[in-house]
Amino acid sequence: MMPLLTTKGLSRDFGGLRAVDSVDFSLMPGEIRAVIGPNGAGKTTFVSLVSGRIQPSSGMIVFDGTDITTQPACVRVRRGIAYTFQITSVFANLSAYDNVALPVQRTLSDGRSKGAVRAGVMSALERTGLADRAHMPAGQLSYGHQRLLEVAMGLALKPRLLILDEPTQGLADSEIDNFISLVRDIAKNATVLLIEHNMPVVMQLADRITVFNAGKILAEGTPEAIRDNAAVQEAYLGTAP
Ligand SMILES: Nc1ncnc2c1ncn2[C@@H]1O[C@H](COP(=O)(O)OP(=O)(O)OP(=O)(O)O)[C@@H](O)[C@H]1O
Ligand SMILES: [Mg+2]
């Protein structure tokens, strides 16, 4: 089987700081991969490079056999890469429904067909548990629900790779269980790359875990192997809240 995503020697400098440092990474189709690591390890920078939000200083990104390194983010979205930001980026004055309608319209050849838009929007809102809040202005949703709304916006693109950057931040414990079911459901027909600090969520969801530290991959393996890895414990798990 061919990897869905590969990076080779991927690096990104910010001034004198190498935020992502020669990362060789690969992700198999259908996988749920968690990315963990201390604050400032380079996790968000890494997925920003994959999504095309920022450009690499050096290295290469291959998605589904195509070199996408120089392709703009909008082209990558069309190829099937969707992502949610760590910082919430919903349109506060638009309803939850209208926020999701924007990406749905992008996926439809005739984006003006009202019935098709409605079906796409409601399906994404129902999957994320937000259907009963469809007409609330997004800015009036709780922070956790705004994060879920972003997941709905990503899902509406029917992605092959869905990248989630700390999606459970601000969710109540009761909502986290629903989120875990949601990601398992998403993974039935997409690959998921999940940056997550909540270790119980990581341990329950991930097929494999990649640990970032100081811009590099410190370790990679099954949840059990990562939990028992002494270097990981020192760099991250021992200091996790
Ligand atoms: N636009 C930027 N300009 C300058 N420095 C940046 C920029 N973005 C990130 N950095 C720096 O790059 C390093 C990696 O940051 P990044 O946000 O990727 O870490 P992270 O692993 O996502 O951390 P967190 O867990 O806190 O979200 C940090 O030292 C950060 O300050
Ligand atoms: Mg981050």
Side-chain angles (χ1 to χ4, degrees):
M1 204 163 39
M2 198 177 72
L4 180 66
L5 174 73
T6 310
T7 73
K8 284 205 169 61
L10 193 65
S11 298
R12 169 68 201 217
D13 301 327
F14 291 114
L17 174 81
R18 181 147 282 205
V20 171
D21 189 359
S22 303
V23 169
D24 296 332
F25 176 88
S26 102
L27 187 61
M28 298 309 283
E31 222 186 305
I32 301 177
R33 177 73 62 92
V35 173
I36 66 171
N39 295 122
K43 307 178 299 292
T44 294
T45 306
F46 176 71
V47 299
S48 299
L49 291 167
V50 170
S51 69
R53 194 153 71 105
I54 60 172
Q55 300 309 307
S57 303
S58 57
M60 173 172 165
I61 308 166
V62 176
F63 182 73
D64 193 28
T66 302
D67 184 344
I68 60 164
T69 314
T70 60
Q71 288 183 344
C74 58
V75 174
R76 298 186 203 196
V77 168
R78 257 181 268 136
R79 288 189 179 276
I81 302 178
Y83 53 98
T84 67
F85 296 116
Q86 181 170 9
I87 305 298
T88 182
S89 62
V90 299
F91 297 99
N93 297 325
L94 293 185
S95 66
Y97 184 99
D98 286 338
N99 269 277
V100 181
L102 298 171
V104 166
Q105 282 160 346
R106 289 176 68 161
T107 64
L108 298 172
S109 46
D110 177 8
R112 288 160 301 173
S113 154
K114 264 197 176 163
V117 172
R118 182 167 180 82
V121 173
M122 290 316 292
S123 150
L125 288 177
E126 270 154 26
R127 288 177 80 187
T128 47
L130 294 173
D132 57 349
R133 294 175 173 82
H135 295 292
M136 277 177 71
Q140 283 176 26
L141 296 172
S142 71
Y143 181 73
H145 288 160
Q146 291 186 32
R147 305 312 318 277
L148 283 180
L149 179 58
E150 289 193 60
V151 176
M153 292 165 75
L155 274 179
L157 293 167
K158 299 196 192 314
R160 300 171 64 197
L161 172 62
L162 180 61
I163 301 172
L164 303 169
D165 196 346
E166 297 196 28
T168 67
Q169 234 180 27
L171 289 184
D173 287 348
S174 58
E175 295 168 328
I176 287 198
D177 290 340
N178 290 335
F179 174 79
I180 289 172
S181 316
L182 169 65
V183 173
R184 290 206 175 112
D185 182 53
I186 292 169
K188 287 178 190 157
N189 35 51
T191 306
V192 177
L193 185 56
L194 169 72
I195 301 179
E196 182 58 66
H197 280 294
N198 182 323
M199 285 312 290
V201 171
V202 168
M203 289 297 170
Q204 286 177 73
L205 275 177
D207 297 310
R208 291 174 71 77
I209 299 174
T210 300
V211 186
F212 270 73
N213 191 41
K216 290 180 185 293
I217 294 179
L218 173 71
E220 200 164 81
T222 61
E224 295 70 32
I226 293 301
R227 193 187 48 211
D228 298 340
N229 183 309
V232 173
Q233 285 172 9
E234 187 171 343
Y236 181 59
L237 295 179
T239 61

